[in-house]
Amino acid sequence: MKSIFSVFLLFTSAGSVYGQVKQRHERMGQSVEFPTEVKNGGNVMYLGKVIAHVISGARRPLSNEYDSRLQWNSSTGLFSLSGLKMEDKGLYKVVRNDGTQSAEEKYQLTVYVPVSKPHITITHNEYPCTLLCAVERGTDATLTWYREGEENYGSSPVHSAPHLYLPQTVEWSGTYTCEAKNSVSTERSDPLTVGDHCTGINTWGIVASVLAAVLLIALIAVVIYFQCCEQKQGETVPDTEEVQEEPWWTFWSWF
Ligand SMILES: *[C@@H]1O[C@H](CO)[C@@H](O)[C@H](O)[C@H]1NC(C)=O
């Protein structure tokens, strides 16, 4: 029992050193080449099943779809799978068996739908404005906002399209673009420029501060004006008590 366990341990540790799994990320519809030479003998396995066989330097058909989709180049000894479909994802094992030497390499294939061009729409066009970036296609895509002159303004967690949305509340006016990206493709939206009406500095704030400034200046002017008149009147009219009341009445009558 103990020896069986040690043999098992030996095999698993040898396997992990020997056959490290190589990650392959490929576009749907394209082809992938497995860079393991099989010239005289060997096979290709997919999910534990033999899908192609080479014996004595010749391909032996197995009467499956891989006879045509999985090409074998007899001069390079390399296999390549064409017309990739989403269902082709999984573990491939290419085994070389030359009689004296044998080797195997594992490939973990992931098939991606490339991202389509994202589009920006304004979903709320007054303060606080909100933008929405949407992409229709793309496997494991990430959406990222960019504001002109800045990088990586904000990004979404990884999701799977179709219909991947990234909302954004606009704090500053400027030109925004949205980028969709996955392992096999990157696309950017057309830029969208957002005006000042979207920002926190709203027009009522500006109007209020201008009004306050105008009132303050008017008040100072009025004070200066009455101080001057008070002096003039003081020269001609000696009764100061009557004069002091007069200007404040005139001042308040303006409102
Ligand atoms: C096999 O590979 C060689 C070298 O890359 C290439 O020139 C040749 O066209 C390939 N043959 C086929 C049938 O694809």
Side-chain angles (χ1 to χ4, degrees):
M1 186 65 193
K2 201 186 168 192
S3 62
I4 292 171
F5 186 65
S6 349
V7 167
F8 173 74
L9 266 186
L10 186 72
F11 266 88
T12 43
S13 54
S16 59
V17 173
Y18 196 60
Q20 262 196 348
V21 178
K22 295 185 172 81
Q23 298 293 326
R24 300 302 300 264
H25 294 176
E26 303 294 336
R27 278 172 175 250
M28 193 173 76
Q30 300 206 327
S31 62
V32 59
E33 190 176 64
F34 301 113
T36 303
E37 278 182 31
V38 176
K39 286 200 168 163
N40 293 316
N43 59 58
V44 180
M45 295 177 85
Y46 173 55
L47 305 175
K49 209 176 128 196
V50 174
I51 57 168
H53 219 159
V54 172
I55 296 172
S56 306
R59 175 95 177 257
R60 198 178 76 179
L62 291 174
S63 303
N64 59 21
E65 62 160 317
Y66 296 104
D67 284 349
S68 55
R69 277 185 65 219
L70 185 66
Q71 289 92 34
W72 179 64
N73 185 323
S74 57
S75 62
T76 60
L78 302 184
F79 281 97
S80 59
L81 183 61
S82 61
L84 288 175
K85 300 178 280 189
M86 295 301 282
E87 309 90 82
D88 289 329
K89 68 166 190 257
L91 189 70
Y92 291 78
K93 195 161 80 175
V94 183
V95 182
R96 176 171 65 234
N97 206 329
D98 293 346
T100 50
Q101 276 190 316
S102 76
E104 64 170 54
E105 270 170 312
K106 289 174 184 156
Y107 301 93
Q108 181 68 42
L109 177 70
T110 316
V111 182
Y112 288 83
V113 173
V115 291
S116 54
K117 185 178 173 174
H119 292 280
I120 306 177
T121 47
I122 302 182
T123 46
H124 191 245
N125 198 14
E126 58 189 58
Y127 176 78
C129 288
T130 44
L131 302 180
L132 192 71
C133 172
V135 71
E136 299 287 307
R137 280 190 289 108
T139 313
D140 285 342
T142 306
L143 294 180
T144 308
W145 282 113
Y146 290 92
R147 194 168 51 209
E148 201 179 19
E150 288 169 69
E151 283 305 293
N152 221 353
Y153 179 59
S155 57
S156 75
V158 175
H159 284 303
S160 218
H163 310 301
L164 184 62
Y165 300 109
L166 177 62
Q168 176 69 52
T169 305
V170 174
E171 293 144 357
W172 307 99
S173 56
T175 302
Y176 288 77
T177 51
C178 177
E179 185 187 81
K181 189 182 174 122
N182 68 5
S183 299
V184 297
S185 58
T186 304
E187 291 280 345
R188 272 209 183 197
S189 71
D190 291 331
L192 185 101
T193 302
V194 169
D196 284 328
H197 71 281
C198 279
T199 66
I201 311 155
N202 59 47
T203 39
W204 282 115
I206 295 165
V207 167
S209 39
V210 167
L211 268 179
V214 165
L215 276 178
L216 191 70
I217 290 164
L219 193 67
I220 291 165
V222 163
V223 167
I224 290 168
Y225 174 75
F226 281 109
Q227 268 186 347
C228 112
C229 290
E230 193 184 308
Q231 276 179 348
K232 272 185 190 167
Q233 281 181 330
E235 280 165 16
T236 49
V237 185
D239 190 5
T240 49
E241 228 179 278
E242 205 189 59
V243 176
Q244 262 189 337
E245 254 180 279
E246 174 82 4
W248 290 108
W249 275 111
T250 322
F251 173 67
W252 288 115
S253 69
W254 288 14
F255 287 87

PDB file of all heavy atoms in Angstrom, residues 63-79:
ATOM      1  N   SER A  63     -11.786   8.858 -38.906  1.00  0.00           N
ATOM      2  CA  SER A  63     -13.197   9.065 -39.306  1.00  0.00           C
ATOM      3  C   SER A  63     -13.958   9.933 -38.302  1.00  0.00           C
ATOM      4  O   SER A  63     -15.060   9.593 -37.882  1.00  0.00           O
ATOM      5  CB  SER A  63     -13.921   7.719 -39.479  1.00  0.00           C
ATOM      6  OG  SER A  63     -13.239   6.918 -40.418  1.00  0.00           O
ATOM      7  N   ASN A  64     -13.332  11.026 -37.915  1.00  0.00           N
ATOM      8  CA  ASN A  64     -14.042  12.001 -37.084  1.00  0.00           C
ATOM      9  C   ASN A  64     -13.835  13.388 -37.713  1.00  0.00           C
ATOM     10  O   ASN A  64     -13.131  13.530 -38.711  1.00  0.00           O
ATOM     11  CB  ASN A  64     -13.562  11.958 -35.622  1.00  0.00           C
ATOM     12  CG  ASN A  64     -12.069  12.229 -35.478  1.00  0.00           C
ATOM     13  OD1 ASN A  64     -11.457  12.811 -36.364  1.00  0.00           O
ATOM     14  ND2 ASN A  64     -11.494  11.809 -34.367  1.00  0.00           N
ATOM     15  N   GLU A  65     -14.505  14.388 -37.127  1.00  0.00           N
ATOM     16  CA  GLU A  65     -14.424  15.739 -37.715  1.00  0.00           C
ATOM     17  C   GLU A  65     -12.989  16.273 -37.717  1.00  0.00           C
ATOM     18  O   GLU A  65     -12.654  17.148 -38.513  1.00  0.00           O
ATOM     19  CB  GLU A  65     -15.343  16.700 -36.952  1.00  0.00           C
ATOM     20  CG  GLU A  65     -14.969  16.863 -35.484  1.00  0.00           C
ATOM     21  CD  GLU A  65     -15.515  18.134 -34.836  1.00  0.00           C
ATOM     22  OE1 GLU A  65     -15.458  19.208 -35.457  1.00  0.00           O
ATOM     23  OE2 GLU A  65     -15.993  18.033 -33.690  1.00  0.00           O
ATOM     24  N   TYR A  66     -12.131  15.724 -36.844  1.00  0.00           N
ATOM     25  CA  TYR A  66     -10.755  16.230 -36.739  1.00  0.00           C
ATOM     26  C   TYR A  66      -9.878  15.785 -37.904  1.00  0.00           C
ATOM     27  O   TYR A  66      -8.822  16.350 -38.115  1.00  0.00           O
ATOM     28  CB  TYR A  66     -10.139  15.806 -35.399  1.00  0.00           C
ATOM     29  CG  TYR A  66     -10.862  16.421 -34.218  1.00  0.00           C
ATOM     30  CD1 TYR A  66     -11.740  15.673 -33.442  1.00  0.00           C
ATOM     31  CD2 TYR A  66     -10.671  17.756 -33.902  1.00  0.00           C
ATOM     32  CE1 TYR A  66     -12.403  16.247 -32.373  1.00  0.00           C
ATOM     33  CE2 TYR A  66     -11.337  18.346 -32.833  1.00  0.00           C
ATOM     34  CZ  TYR A  66     -12.201  17.578 -32.068  1.00  0.00           C
ATOM     35  OH  TYR A  66     -12.856  18.148 -31.027  1.00  0.00           O
ATOM     36  N   ASP A  67     -10.319  14.776 -38.678  1.00  0.00           N
ATOM     37  CA  ASP A  67      -9.562  14.365 -39.867  1.00  0.00           C
ATOM     38  C   ASP A  67      -9.360  15.564 -40.802  1.00  0.00           C
ATOM     39  O   ASP A  67      -8.329  15.691 -41.448  1.00  0.00           O
ATOM     40  CB  ASP A  67     -10.289  13.235 -40.605  1.00  0.00           C
ATOM     41  CG  ASP A  67     -10.133  11.896 -39.881  1.00  0.00           C
ATOM     42  OD1 ASP A  67      -9.296  11.826 -38.954  1.00  0.00           O
ATOM     43  OD2 ASP A  67     -10.858  10.947 -40.232  1.00  0.00           O
ATOM     44  N   SER A  68     -10.364  16.456 -40.856  1.00  0.00           N
ATOM     45  CA  SER A  68     -10.230  17.629 -41.724  1.00  0.00           C
ATOM     46  C   SER A  68      -9.892  18.905 -40.948  1.00  0.00           C
ATOM     47  O   SER A  68      -9.104  19.725 -41.396  1.00  0.00           O
ATOM     48  CB  SER A  68     -11.524  17.834 -42.515  1.00  0.00           C
ATOM     49  OG  SER A  68     -12.613  17.931 -41.628  1.00  0.00           O
ATOM     50  N   ARG A  69     -10.441  19.076 -39.748  1.00  0.00           N
ATOM     51  CA  ARG A  69     -10.227  20.320 -38.984  1.00  0.00           C
ATOM     52  C   ARG A  69      -8.861  20.373 -38.296  1.00  0.00           C
ATOM     53  O   ARG A  69      -8.358  21.443 -38.009  1.00  0.00           O
ATOM     54  CB  ARG A  69     -11.328  20.499 -37.933  1.00  0.00           C
ATOM     55  CG  ARG A  69     -12.592  21.121 -38.493  1.00  0.00           C
ATOM     56  CD  ARG A  69     -13.590  21.387 -37.390  1.00  0.00           C
ATOM     57  NE  ARG A  69     -13.084  22.393 -36.464  1.00  0.00           N
ATOM     58  CZ  ARG A  69     -13.259  22.342 -35.150  1.00  0.00           C
ATOM     59  NH1 ARG A  69     -13.906  21.337 -34.603  1.00  0.00           N
ATOM     60  NH2 ARG A  69     -12.779  23.299 -34.391  1.00  0.00           N
ATOM     61  N   LEU A  70      -8.324  19.212 -37.992  1.00  0.00           N
ATOM     62  CA  LEU A  70      -7.009  19.174 -37.340  1.00  0.00           C
ATOM     63  C   LEU A  70      -5.981  18.743 -38.388  1.00  0.00           C
ATOM     64  O   LEU A  70      -5.890  17.560 -38.733  1.00  0.00           O
ATOM     65  CB  LEU A  70      -7.042  18.198 -36.162  1.00  0.00           C
ATOM     66  CG  LEU A  70      -5.784  18.112 -35.293  1.00  0.00           C
ATOM     67  CD1 LEU A  70      -5.524  19.414 -34.555  1.00  0.00           C
ATOM     68  CD2 LEU A  70      -5.915  16.972 -34.285  1.00  0.00           C
ATOM     69  N   GLN A  71      -5.265  19.753 -38.909  1.00  0.00           N
ATOM     70  CA  GLN A  71      -4.298  19.440 -39.965  1.00  0.00           C
ATOM     71  C   GLN A  71      -2.958  19.017 -39.370  1.00  0.00           C
ATOM     72  O   GLN A  71      -2.556  19.509 -38.315  1.00  0.00           O
ATOM     73  CB  GLN A  71      -4.091  20.671 -40.874  1.00  0.00           C
ATOM     74  CG  GLN A  71      -5.277  21.008 -41.766  1.00  0.00           C
ATOM     75  CD  GLN A  71      -6.228  22.003 -41.127  1.00  0.00           C
ATOM     76  OE1 GLN A  71      -5.798  22.884 -40.388  1.00  0.00           O
ATOM     77  NE2 GLN A  71      -7.522  21.856 -41.389  1.00  0.00           N
ATOM     78  N   TRP A  72      -2.331  18.120 -40.092  1.00  0.00           N
ATOM     79  CA  TRP A  72      -0.983  17.694 -39.695  1.00  0.00           C
ATOM     80  C   TRP A  72      -0.043  17.958 -40.859  1.00  0.00           C
ATOM     81  O   TRP A  72      -0.295  17.509 -41.976  1.00  0.00           O
ATOM     82  CB  TRP A  72      -0.970  16.212 -39.324  1.00  0.00           C
ATOM     83  CG  TRP A  72       0.384  15.700 -38.939  1.00  0.00           C
ATOM     84  CD1 TRP A  72       1.127  16.093 -37.877  1.00  0.00           C
ATOM     85  CD2 TRP A  72       1.158  14.705 -39.605  1.00  0.00           C
ATOM     86  NE1 TRP A  72       2.309  15.413 -37.826  1.00  0.00           N
ATOM     87  CE2 TRP A  72       2.364  14.539 -38.883  1.00  0.00           C
ATOM     88  CE3 TRP A  72       0.953  13.916 -40.757  1.00  0.00           C
ATOM     89  CZ2 TRP A  72       3.364  13.638 -39.249  1.00  0.00           C
ATOM     90  CZ3 TRP A  72       1.936  13.016 -41.125  1.00  0.00           C
ATOM     91  CH2 TRP A  72       3.137  12.881 -40.373  1.00  0.00           C
ATOM     92  N   ASN A  73       1.007  18.747 -40.578  1.00  0.00           N
ATOM     93  CA  ASN A  73       1.984  19.053 -41.618  1.00  0.00           C
ATOM     94  C   ASN A  73       3.124  18.041 -41.490  1.00  0.00           C
ATOM     95  O   ASN A  73       3.870  18.066 -40.506  1.00  0.00           O
ATOM     96  CB  ASN A  73       2.484  20.504 -41.420  1.00  0.00           C
ATOM     97  CG  ASN A  73       3.420  20.943 -42.521  1.00  0.00           C
ATOM     98  OD1 ASN A  73       4.233  20.164 -43.016  1.00  0.00           O
ATOM     99  ND2 ASN A  73       3.311  22.215 -42.887  1.00  0.00           N
ATOM    100  N   SER A  74       3.237  17.178 -42.483  1.00  0.00           N
ATOM    101  CA  SER A  74       4.211  16.072 -42.381  1.00  0.00           C
ATOM    102  C   SER A  74       5.646  16.568 -42.409  1.00  0.00           C
ATOM    103  O   SER A  74       6.538  15.883 -41.888  1.00  0.00           O
ATOM    104  CB  SER A  74       3.971  15.053 -43.493  1.00  0.00           C
ATOM    105  OG  SER A  74       4.058  15.705 -44.740  1.00  0.00           O
ATOM    106  N   SER A  75       5.910  17.759 -42.997  1.00  0.00           N
ATOM    107  CA  SER A  75       7.298  18.240 -43.026  1.00  0.00           C
ATOM    108  C   SER A  75       7.708  18.909 -41.707  1.00  0.00           C
ATOM    109  O   SER A  75       8.838  18.761 -41.264  1.00  0.00           O
ATOM    110  CB  SER A  75       7.534  19.167 -44.223  1.00  0.00           C
ATOM    111  OG  SER A  75       6.713  20.295 -44.137  1.00  0.00           O
ATOM    112  N   THR A  76       6.781  19.639 -41.070  1.00  0.00           N
ATOM    113  CA  THR A  76       7.129  20.264 -39.776  1.00  0.00           C
ATOM    114  C   THR A  76       6.752  19.342 -38.600  1.00  0.00           C
ATOM    115  O   THR A  76       7.310  19.478 -37.513  1.00  0.00           O
ATOM    116  CB  THR A  76       6.394  21.607 -39.581  1.00  0.00           C
ATOM    117  OG1 THR A  76       4.989  21.366 -39.611  1.00  0.00           O
ATOM    118  CG2 THR A  76       6.771  22.614 -40.650  1.00  0.00           C
ATOM    119  N   GLY A  77       5.813  18.469 -38.819  1.00  0.00           N
ATOM    120  CA  GLY A  77       5.340  17.572 -37.768  1.00  0.00           C
ATOM    121  C   GLY A  77       4.400  18.251 -36.782  1.00  0.00           C
ATOM    122  O   GLY A  77       4.168  17.743 -35.680  1.00  0.00           O
ATOM    123  N   LEU A  78       3.846  19.413 -37.165  1.00  0.00           N
ATOM    124  CA  LEU A  78       2.978  20.157 -36.243  1.00  0.00           C
ATOM    125  C   LEU A  78       1.503  20.003 -36.599  1.00  0.00           C
ATOM    126  O   LEU A  78       1.128  19.956 -37.769  1.00  0.00           O
ATOM    127  CB  LEU A  78       3.358  21.641 -36.246  1.00  0.00           C
ATOM    128  CG  LEU A  78       4.808  21.985 -35.873  1.00  0.00           C
ATOM    129  CD1 LEU A  78       4.996  23.487 -35.837  1.00  0.00           C
ATOM    130  CD2 LEU A  78       5.209  21.357 -34.545  1.00  0.00           C
ATOM    131  N   PHE A  79       0.709  19.947 -35.546  1.00  0.00           N
ATOM    132  CA  PHE A  79      -0.745  19.893 -35.712  1.00  0.00           C
ATOM    133  C   PHE A  79      -1.317  21.297 -35.552  1.00  0.00           C
ATOM    134  O   PHE A  79      -0.842  22.085 -34.725  1.00  0.00           O
ATOM    135  CB  PHE A  79      -1.366  18.999 -34.633  1.00  0.00           C
ATOM    136  CG  PHE A  79      -1.246  17.530 -34.911  1.00  0.00           C
ATOM    137  CD1 PHE A  79      -0.223  16.783 -34.347  1.00  0.00           C
ATOM    138  CD2 PHE A  79      -2.172  16.903 -35.731  1.00  0.00           C
ATOM    139  CE1 PHE A  79      -0.129  15.421 -34.588  1.00  0.00           C
ATOM    140  CE2 PHE A  79      -2.087  15.535 -35.981  1.00  0.00           C
ATOM    141  CZ  PHE A  79      -1.059  14.794 -35.416  1.00  0.00           C
TER     142      PHE A  79
END
